[in-house]
Amino acid sequence: MGKDVIVACDFSSAEAVYAFLDKFTERKPFVKIGMELFYAEGPQIVKEIKKRGHKIFLDLKLHDIPNTVKKAMSVLSNLDVDICNLHAGGTVRMMEAAIEGLTREDGTRPLLIAVTQLTSTDQESMENDLLIKEPIDKVVMHYAANAKKAGLDGVVCSPLEAGKVHETCGKDFLTVTPGVRFADGDIGDQKRVMTPAEAKKIGSDYIVVGRPITAAEDVVAAYNRCVAEFVD
Ligand code: C5P
């Protein structure tokens, strides 16, 4: 899969997400389904959006004992999603078990990427709450390297970290980056942002864009602008 724009469909119901997706009559966006929508609507929402012709990144961030993650991943693999994810903090063994669970009988599987440290975790909370005393950048790169070691395909990271992740883990290791805003747009609650064009320049493989598209007056035009800046 090449560079693409993934639209974060952070809606709370199937009706809302279908009303949004109905507007796209030409290029069908790659869609991210998160916990809110998945827990509200269940696996059916994944099947329906897939049937409509969209690729899907199912953002459920699994983190449990290896055996449980393996079995859960096998269920997600049967849903035919294109990308799914987990927390690298679950250890290399958990990530290896996830790959096993995802791999279908014919050897194919969805891409699997890892969350390193959430962007909501800062140095202070990592030190005080998690008792991890190393600098956060080092922790993020170590978790990315662990994900690579376990056979994963990439990580979710800030566009500002994408270059360093590629340096550490190789250029084929995918960087999927949220925190994207148009140069003339609202930053909202995101702290460190980049435009789609900057994210492309720094080497992000996929950008995850939510409100700049979903809250735009013309959502299709906003999506097309992202594609024009990032993909074309
Ligand atoms: O609306 P916005 O473009 O900020 O949406 C970004 C999406 O990416 C949301 O679904 C958010 O949960 C997700 N995300 C993020 N930052 C991370 C990880 C995920 O914004 N570090």
Side-chain angles (χ1 to χ4, degrees), residues 15-100:
E15 293 71 42
V17 73
Y18 297 153
F20 171 74
L21 294 177
D22 281 345
K23 296 186 176 139
F24 295 85
T25 51
E26 286 167 19
R27 185 183 171 116
K28 304 263 183 200
F30 201 131
V31 159
K32 179 169 91 71
I33 300 176
M35 291 186 208
E36 183 187 11
L37 189 60
F38 188 79
Y39 292 149
E41 300 290 347
Q44 194 53 36
I45 191 79
V46 175
K47 292 182 191 157
E48 180 57 33
I49 294 177
K50 190 85 202 174
K51 211 163 77 192
R52 286 166 168 245
H54 298 269
K55 284 187 175 164
I56 296 178
F57 168 20
L58 188 56
D59 178 19
L60 298 181
K61 301 187 180 72
L62 275 67
H63 189 170
D64 207 319
I65 60 169
N67 187 52
T68 301
V69 169
K70 177 177 168 179
K71 289 182 172 167
M73 284 294 181
S74 154
V75 176
L76 299 186
S77 189
N78 287 334
L79 282 177
D80 201 19
V81 297
D82 298 281
I83 306 181
C84 48
N85 64 355
L86 46 61
H87 276 282
T91 73
V92 171
R93 197 154 76 80
M94 186 201 78
M95 292 192 272
E96 287 169 346
I99 295 269
E100 268 178 52

Side-chain angles (χ1 to χ4, degrees), residues 99-188:
I99 295 269
E100 268 178 52
L102 270 188
T103 306
R104 305 180 185 109
E105 266 178 27
D106 63 2
T108 63
R109 64 167 174 81
L111 293 174
L112 181 62
I113 61 178
V115 173
T116 56
Q117 283 291 347
L118 291 170
T119 44
S120 51
T121 306
D122 59 10
Q123 185 73 37
E124 193 189 344
S125 51
M126 208 180 62
E127 287 188 14
N128 296 341
D129 300 353
L130 308 179
L131 277 185
I132 299 173
K133 305 290 185 188
E134 299 284 348
I136 193 156
D137 301 8
K138 191 174 167 193
V139 176
V140 166
M141 291 310 147
H142 181 65
Y143 282 24
N146 280 351
K148 169 134 200 215
K149 187 165 142 195
L152 271 68
D153 305 290
V155 286
V156 183
C157 64
S158 149
L160 297 140
E161 292 161 353
K164 186 92 190 284
V165 169
H166 281 139
E167 267 172 39
T168 309
C169 301
K171 67 173 177 25
D172 294 334
F173 195 65
L174 300 174
T175 52
V176 179
T177 62
V180 173
R181 292 293 180 266
F182 291 122
D184 53 1
D186 251 355
I187 291 186

